[in-house]
Amino acid sequence: MATKRAVWIGAGLVGVGAAAVLLGRRRRRAASTVLEDRDHAVATDDLVGEEVDLVSHDGGELAVTLTGPEDGPVVVLAHCWGGSRQTWAPVSRRLLAAGCRVVRWDQRGHGRSRAGHKGHSVEGLADDLATVLTDLDLREVVLVGHSMGGMTVQAFATHHHQLFHERTRGVVLVATAGFGMANPATARTPDLIRSARVERLFERPGTGRLLVRATFGRGAHPHHVEVTRADFVATPQPVRAEFAEAMQAMDLRDGVAKIDVPTTILVGSRDTLTPLPLSRALAATIPGSTLEVLTGLGHMLPYEAPDEVTAATLSHVAWPAAPAGAAPTG
């Protein structure tokens, strides 16, 4: 019984979850992005964007997608551990409909991105976000991070505070933590991730979906559960294990306390991975932040609550001022 319980706890962490541009390889083409709405399972490839490969600070490669009008307000989306750019598809669709410029990338070791010689660490994620902002010259951005992506944003504010202060106008932290991840219940997680037995459980669609379903709250769409499972399995096992260790050791509270832009924190009431007490601790640490608890929802809020995540994001966006003398609207 103890072994089974440990496997389920380790499995649950599935949701805890970027050289100058001239040195990168940049190309314009249709971004083959699968967009999934929480209300239906029909995939539609209806976004045209730009894909950019950037060289990371330590010689790795970051696969970035930019979509939407070039003059739109910029939103940068950082995805979770074991996820990919696709995790943000439902939110991206809504932000694009609102007129935003949406920037997403595969975190190091995930999707088409790979780490350089510094490997897989929370500080490395922060450096990658700094690369995305500087190489693409993104300013006045709203940074949105889910789970490990939220840790990316917090680590960026910690390790690159001046750049964070210069380039960021707002932050949305979605189902995440900045400290307090180490506890007896999760101590064995890195070992479980390395276990061939656990890997086989995830690789089997039936059992894998059952394990991943536990990271969602009520009313999870089966397709979103399967996409989450598939992303997790596609992330190399050593990458998952190394990040699991890094997240347990993470303590960003000193840097988080210096976040000096409007910040919204979202958490599901049924989130068992980065539960409500961790979000409350963040809200108590970030000056002036707002905490919103989404009743009945779990950890995978980009899929479970895209409307709410979008609304929180748009509340921090800077819209272009109307030309002088323009007629009022609405």
Side-chain angles (χ1 to χ4, degrees), residues 35 43 49 204 245 267 324:
L35 296 176
R204 296 169 184 162
E245 291 174 337
V267 61

Side-chain angles (χ1 to χ4, degrees), residues 25-39:
R25 298 195 302 278
R26 185 168 181 154
R27 60 194 182 276
R28 182 175 296 272
R29 68 188 185 197
S32 180
T33 303
V34 177
L35 296 176
E36 282 298 330
D37 194 292
R38 66 176 171 178
D39 300 321

